[in-house]
Amino acid sequence: MLKPYSKWLLASAAFFTACSPATTPSDPIAIEGAWLRAVPPVSSSMAGYLSLTNNTDAAITLTGGHAEFAHHTMVHDMQTQDDGTRRMVHAGELVIHAGETLTLAPGGLHVMLMGLSDVPERGTSPTVCLTFAEQDDVCIDMPVQDSAEE
Amino acid sequence: MMSAARYIFLLSIVFLAGCIEQREPLPINTRLGGEFTLTDQYSNAFHSSQLEGRPTLLFFGFTECPDICPAVLAQMGQTNRAMAEQGLANRVNQVFITFDPERDTPEHLREYLPWFNEHLIGLTGTPDEIEAVAAQFGVVYLLDEMEDGDYSFSHSDFIYLLDDQNRVRKLYPANFDPKEVIADVKTLL
């Protein structure tokens, strides 16, 4: 039988966990190293990066995302063309096979948040949700910083 | 007969000369660069001669770019702060030239650029003016129509180091090392 204060502690822990979206390495879809690149307050778009590991035994399909502060959210890629230019393209749906990790990093795949209604400031951690074809959204807090190393 | 002390002194000079890192002068790129006139973030005509007298770090991009351009601008800001720590504050120009004049108006550049570095010079112009300057520096940029009617650009992403006579001396990739840039800048001061 739990003592009353232990129940409150457990309830508090559950409350904080629910209010602080995050994944753990053992979750079916584990996300690590998530961050948003800080941009000026007059910006209309910003990029986010993360590593996503599929810990299930079946392939999953990343279809896009959504965030309260962005009109639309997609996954884009930067591709180097034959002429040396870098071109941003819509990555479309990305299949992540069982056990695989998909990495979104500067200069390559990234979460593109566009039509920003409110540009998150450095030091804040707004919530961004990733959408999948096979399952519910996975929502995470993404700290706003200048680089991955912070 | 040379005294031992004088001999040791001369030997020390030879040794010291060998220890001082000898950097090769940066070559002068005669194929890229040249004079130009664009419009700065205060809507004033800006001639390239206004950059003379100091080295310049020059980057072409657009402010709607979410990935490479803000990363480069942030890196240039970091480089500027590192130079300030070494007593080199305000001895290098940093210039951003947009190839998106429709959205990157002088007013928008004035609002956007200081966030990275208050000393950044932002230049825009007519599409023809920008196309001409981009060609002078070998910059390739192509309009990409997006699905929702918006547009982006495919573009080359080099950073240019110019000397105090506006001659191109070196190109860096977008993920440049600020230490390398600072070392190169010092050879031009």
Side-chain angles (χ1 to χ4, degrees), chain A residues 55-71:
Chain A
N55 289 322
T56 72
D57 54 8
I60 58 175
T61 308
L62 175 64
T63 56
H66 59 90
E68 282 187 7
F69 60 94
H71 186 255

PDB file of all heavy atoms in Angstrom, chain A residues 55-71:
ATOM      1  N   ASN A  55      12.563   1.121 -33.190  1.00  0.00           N
ATOM      2  CA  ASN A  55      12.811  -0.038 -32.333  1.00  0.00           C
ATOM      3  C   ASN A  55      11.740  -1.118 -32.454  1.00  0.00           C
ATOM      4  O   ASN A  55      11.737  -2.085 -31.691  1.00  0.00           O
ATOM      5  CB  ASN A  55      12.901   0.408 -30.865  1.00  0.00           C
ATOM      6  CG  ASN A  55      14.165   1.193 -30.580  1.00  0.00           C
ATOM      7  OD1 ASN A  55      15.224   0.883 -31.109  1.00  0.00           O
ATOM      8  ND2 ASN A  55      14.060   2.210 -29.743  1.00  0.00           N
ATOM      9  N   THR A  56      10.842  -0.930 -33.414  1.00  0.00           N
ATOM     10  CA  THR A  56       9.816  -1.959 -33.610  1.00  0.00           C
ATOM     11  C   THR A  56      10.360  -3.041 -34.535  1.00  0.00           C
ATOM     12  O   THR A  56      11.474  -2.938 -35.052  1.00  0.00           O
ATOM     13  CB  THR A  56       8.548  -1.348 -34.220  1.00  0.00           C
ATOM     14  OG1 THR A  56       8.800  -1.019 -35.596  1.00  0.00           O
ATOM     15  CG2 THR A  56       8.112  -0.098 -33.474  1.00  0.00           C
ATOM     16  N   ASP A  57       9.526  -4.036 -34.809  1.00  0.00           N
ATOM     17  CA  ASP A  57       9.975  -5.102 -35.710  1.00  0.00           C
ATOM     18  C   ASP A  57       9.336  -4.982 -37.088  1.00  0.00           C
ATOM     19  O   ASP A  57       9.300  -5.940 -37.861  1.00  0.00           O
ATOM     20  CB  ASP A  57       9.679  -6.478 -35.101  1.00  0.00           C
ATOM     21  CG  ASP A  57       8.222  -6.624 -34.718  1.00  0.00           C
ATOM     22  OD1 ASP A  57       7.421  -5.728 -35.052  1.00  0.00           O
ATOM     23  OD2 ASP A  57       7.869  -7.630 -34.077  1.00  0.00           O
ATOM     24  N   ALA A  58       8.857  -3.778 -37.382  1.00  0.00           N
ATOM     25  CA  ALA A  58       8.268  -3.544 -38.703  1.00  0.00           C
ATOM     26  C   ALA A  58       8.684  -2.153 -39.182  1.00  0.00           C
ATOM     27  O   ALA A  58       9.034  -1.292 -38.391  1.00  0.00           O
ATOM     28  CB  ALA A  58       6.744  -3.645 -38.634  1.00  0.00           C
ATOM     29  N   ALA A  59       8.644  -1.975 -40.487  1.00  0.00           N
ATOM     30  CA  ALA A  59       9.014  -0.666 -41.040  1.00  0.00           C
ATOM     31  C   ALA A  59       7.971   0.374 -40.661  1.00  0.00           C
ATOM     32  O   ALA A  59       6.782   0.071 -40.520  1.00  0.00           O
ATOM     33  CB  ALA A  59       9.122  -0.765 -42.562  1.00  0.00           C
ATOM     34  N   ILE A  60       8.416   1.603 -40.481  1.00  0.00           N
ATOM     35  CA  ILE A  60       7.516   2.721 -40.237  1.00  0.00           C
ATOM     36  C   ILE A  60       7.786   3.785 -41.282  1.00  0.00           C
ATOM     37  O   ILE A  60       8.872   3.824 -41.879  1.00  0.00           O
ATOM     38  CB  ILE A  60       7.687   3.312 -38.817  1.00  0.00           C
ATOM     39  CG1 ILE A  60       9.136   3.777 -38.605  1.00  0.00           C
ATOM     40  CG2 ILE A  60       7.248   2.313 -37.761  1.00  0.00           C
ATOM     41  CD1 ILE A  60       9.366   4.474 -37.279  1.00  0.00           C
ATOM     42  N   THR A  61       6.795   4.625 -41.524  1.00  0.00           N
ATOM     43  CA  THR A  61       6.922   5.645 -42.568  1.00  0.00           C
ATOM     44  C   THR A  61       6.702   7.025 -41.983  1.00  0.00           C
ATOM     45  O   THR A  61       5.600   7.336 -41.501  1.00  0.00           O
ATOM     46  CB  THR A  61       5.890   5.400 -43.686  1.00  0.00           C
ATOM     47  OG1 THR A  61       5.984   4.048 -44.138  1.00  0.00           O
ATOM     48  CG2 THR A  61       6.141   6.344 -44.865  1.00  0.00           C
ATOM     49  N   LEU A  62       7.742   7.833 -42.023  1.00  0.00           N
ATOM     50  CA  LEU A  62       7.649   9.222 -41.563  1.00  0.00           C
ATOM     51  C   LEU A  62       7.021  10.035 -42.686  1.00  0.00           C
ATOM     52  O   LEU A  62       7.535  10.071 -43.808  1.00  0.00           O
ATOM     53  CB  LEU A  62       9.036   9.764 -41.229  1.00  0.00           C
ATOM     54  CG  LEU A  62       9.137  11.250 -40.845  1.00  0.00           C
ATOM     55  CD1 LEU A  62       8.380  11.529 -39.553  1.00  0.00           C
ATOM     56  CD2 LEU A  62      10.607  11.649 -40.686  1.00  0.00           C
ATOM     57  N   THR A  63       5.891  10.673 -42.405  1.00  0.00           N
ATOM     58  CA  THR A  63       5.165  11.372 -43.462  1.00  0.00           C
ATOM     59  C   THR A  63       5.258  12.889 -43.362  1.00  0.00           C
ATOM     60  O   THR A  63       4.973  13.599 -44.329  1.00  0.00           O
ATOM     61  CB  THR A  63       3.674  10.982 -43.439  1.00  0.00           C
ATOM     62  OG1 THR A  63       3.147  11.271 -42.128  1.00  0.00           O
ATOM     63  CG2 THR A  63       3.481   9.505 -43.744  1.00  0.00           C
ATOM     64  N   GLY A  64       5.630  13.393 -42.213  1.00  0.00           N
ATOM     65  CA  GLY A  64       5.719  14.849 -42.062  1.00  0.00           C
ATOM     66  C   GLY A  64       5.673  15.241 -40.612  1.00  0.00           C
ATOM     67  O   GLY A  64       6.212  14.536 -39.747  1.00  0.00           O
ATOM     68  N   GLY A  65       5.022  16.362 -40.352  1.00  0.00           N
ATOM     69  CA  GLY A  65       4.958  16.803 -38.967  1.00  0.00           C
ATOM     70  C   GLY A  65       3.988  17.954 -38.805  1.00  0.00           C
ATOM     71  O   GLY A  65       3.337  18.392 -39.770  1.00  0.00           O
ATOM     72  N   HIS A  66       3.888  18.432 -37.579  1.00  0.00           N
ATOM     73  CA  HIS A  66       3.095  19.631 -37.326  1.00  0.00           C
ATOM     74  C   HIS A  66       3.548  20.271 -36.033  1.00  0.00           C
ATOM     75  O   HIS A  66       4.111  19.609 -35.146  1.00  0.00           O
ATOM     76  CB  HIS A  66       1.596  19.318 -37.308  1.00  0.00           C
ATOM     77  CG  HIS A  66       1.181  18.308 -36.273  1.00  0.00           C
ATOM     78  ND1 HIS A  66       0.816  18.676 -34.996  1.00  0.00           N
ATOM     79  CD2 HIS A  66       1.085  16.959 -36.324  1.00  0.00           C
ATOM     80  CE1 HIS A  66       0.490  17.595 -34.310  1.00  0.00           C
ATOM     81  NE2 HIS A  66       0.659  16.528 -35.086  1.00  0.00           N
ATOM     82  N   ALA A  67       3.324  21.574 -35.951  1.00  0.00           N
ATOM     83  CA  ALA A  67       3.681  22.325 -34.747  1.00  0.00           C
ATOM     84  C   ALA A  67       2.737  23.506 -34.651  1.00  0.00           C
ATOM     85  O   ALA A  67       2.342  24.072 -35.676  1.00  0.00           O
ATOM     86  CB  ALA A  67       5.135  22.800 -34.815  1.00  0.00           C
ATOM     87  N   GLU A  68       2.406  23.873 -33.434  1.00  0.00           N
ATOM     88  CA  GLU A  68       1.437  24.963 -33.242  1.00  0.00           C
ATOM     89  C   GLU A  68       1.923  26.285 -33.812  1.00  0.00           C
ATOM     90  O   GLU A  68       1.126  27.122 -34.235  1.00  0.00           O
ATOM     91  CB  GLU A  68       1.142  25.125 -31.737  1.00  0.00           C
ATOM     92  CG  GLU A  68       0.182  24.085 -31.206  1.00  0.00           C
ATOM     93  CD  GLU A  68      -0.235  24.375 -29.768  1.00  0.00           C
ATOM     94  OE1 GLU A  68       0.119  25.453 -29.248  1.00  0.00           O
ATOM     95  OE2 GLU A  68      -0.903  23.511 -29.179  1.00  0.00           O
ATOM     96  N   PHE A  69       3.244  26.472 -33.829  1.00  0.00           N
ATOM     97  CA  PHE A  69       3.800  27.753 -34.240  1.00  0.00           C
ATOM     98  C   PHE A  69       4.155  27.808 -35.722  1.00  0.00           C
ATOM     99  O   PHE A  69       4.687  28.817 -36.198  1.00  0.00           O
ATOM    100  CB  PHE A  69       5.037  28.088 -33.389  1.00  0.00           C
ATOM    101  CG  PHE A  69       6.144  27.076 -33.491  1.00  0.00           C
ATOM    102  CD1 PHE A  69       7.176  27.251 -34.401  1.00  0.00           C
ATOM    103  CD2 PHE A  69       6.159  25.953 -32.672  1.00  0.00           C
ATOM    104  CE1 PHE A  69       8.201  26.324 -34.499  1.00  0.00           C
ATOM    105  CE2 PHE A  69       7.176  25.021 -32.764  1.00  0.00           C
ATOM    106  CZ  PHE A  69       8.199  25.202 -33.684  1.00  0.00           C
ATOM    107  N   ALA A  70       3.846  26.731 -36.462  1.00  0.00           N
ATOM    108  CA  ALA A  70       4.177  26.705 -37.893  1.00  0.00           C
ATOM    109  C   ALA A  70       2.933  26.350 -38.699  1.00  0.00           C
ATOM    110  O   ALA A  70       2.166  25.459 -38.320  1.00  0.00           O
ATOM    111  CB  ALA A  70       5.281  25.686 -38.169  1.00  0.00           C
ATOM    112  N   HIS A  71       2.752  27.038 -39.815  1.00  0.00           N
ATOM    113  CA  HIS A  71       1.583  26.772 -40.660  1.00  0.00           C
ATOM    114  C   HIS A  71       1.677  25.381 -41.282  1.00  0.00           C
ATOM    115  O   HIS A  71       0.680  24.663 -41.385  1.00  0.00           O
ATOM    116  CB  HIS A  71       1.477  27.846 -41.744  1.00  0.00           C
ATOM    117  CG  HIS A  71       0.244  27.744 -42.573  1.00  0.00           C
ATOM    118  ND1 HIS A  71       0.234  27.267 -43.867  1.00  0.00           N
ATOM    119  CD2 HIS A  71      -1.045  28.040 -42.281  1.00  0.00           C
ATOM    120  CE1 HIS A  71      -1.005  27.291 -44.334  1.00  0.00           C
ATOM    121  NE2 HIS A  71      -1.792  27.751 -43.401  1.00  0.00           N
TER     122      HIS A  71
END
